[in-house]
Amino acid sequence: NTATTYRIYPNPTHLGENPTLQGVSDEDEEWTLYDLQGRCLQKNSGSATKAPTTAGIYFIQYKNQVIKWVVE
């Protein structure tokens, strides 16, 4: 079995950009966005997302992976 690697593109993302989660094929699949303190900032589904309004480092949890996301 080959594990699927998920990533966010572009990464880093500039404020105001709308990146996508690559590898997410089902619009019903839920993912969660966390800040560095582990606070849940949003839950969403599908591959489209919007960058947070504050620059920083974030983490997206999707299935069994955690994706580091840099917003500048």
Side-chain angles (χ1 to χ4, degrees), residues 40-60:
C40 176
L41 301 179
Q42 73 176 19
K43 289 187 177 197
N44 210 333
S45 61
S47 61
T49 185
K50 185 171 179 152
T53 57
T54 305
I57 297 173
Y58 299 89
F59 297 94
I60 292 176

Side-chain angles (χ1 to χ4, degrees), residues 8 11 13 19 33 50-52 56-58 60 67-71:
I8 192 155
N11 191 6
T13 303
L33 176 67
K50 185 171 179 152
I57 297 173
Y58 299 89
I60 292 176
I67 306 161
K68 181 180 176 183
W69 183 16
V70 178
V71 179

